[in-house]
Amino acid sequence: SAPALHPQPASGRTDCTSRHLEERCMKPLVAAVAVLVALAVGAPVQAQTPEFDALRARAEAGDAEAQHNLGVRYATGDGVPQDDVEAVRWFRLAAEQGDAGAQYNLGARYVDGDGVPENDVLAHMWFTLTAARAQGATRKAAVNLRDILANNMSSEQIEAAQRLDREWNETHPHN
């Protein structure tokens, strides 16, 4: 567990003398009130750790790896409330930059309908893109899932997925 931000005196009571009022009493109280207000209005309560803040800052600055990692956090609820729509948003930003892991995760989201409507054509496209960029187990998994999807798709759906793959590659020449 994380260490306490403000150590308590040995007695177990917080020393709330005037000198320590703001540091030891008000900051935790303000944080607790902020969480309660967020819960009352239905806003998600997000982790405010330095690590998370740095990851989010890198993701917002366009770092594809950070965007993918932030997507994973939202998909799993690691340090943030689990949110499939937010996970898809970050996976898509990273996938559009050519991040193979994000492309794989986005394809899986379209298979399962997590955060997006189920769509085998888009799942097939993202798995095809992954297979062209990934190596090892990720590439093998993408090929396997794409082939399983293809076995259950019409020839028109497969052609549509292949067309989307070509179009994506034409508009993303460096990814």
Side-chain angles (χ1 to χ4, degrees), residues 29-60:
L29 178 61
V30 169
V33 169
V35 168
L36 290 174
V37 169
L39 291 172
V41 299
V45 178
Q46 295 188 0
Q48 294 299 314
T49 65
E51 175 193 355
F52 178 82
D53 291 344
L55 176 65
R56 184 168 195 98
R58 287 193 324 274
E60 289 174 349

Side-chain angles (χ1 to χ4, degrees), residues 20-34:
H20 297 287
L21 184 60
E22 180 180 23
E23 180 180 330
R24 295 201 175 191
C25 299
M26 293 306 289
K27 286 182 182 179
L29 178 61
V30 169
V33 169

Side-chain angles (χ1 to χ4, degrees), residues 95-110:
E96 288 291 335
Q97 294 187 64
D99 184 289
Q103 290 172 338
Y104 179 88
N105 284 329
L106 193 53
R109 296 274 150 179
Y110 279 110

Side-chain angles (χ1 to χ4, degrees), residues 84-85 87-89 91-93 95-96 102-127 129-130 145 149 153 161 164 168:
D84 290 327
V85 172
V88 166
R89 180 171 91 83
F91 287 147
R92 185 177 313 284
L93 288 168
E96 288 291 335
Q103 290 172 338
Y104 179 88
N105 284 329
L106 193 53
R109 296 274 150 179
Y110 279 110
V111 169
D112 296 332
D114 291 333
V116 291
E118 287 183 28
N119 187 320
D120 290 347
V121 171
L122 289 174
H124 187 286
M125 179 201 79
W126 286 113
F127 288 141
L129 291 168
T130 303
L145 289 172
L149 279 172
M153 293 169 65
L164 290 172
W168 193 93

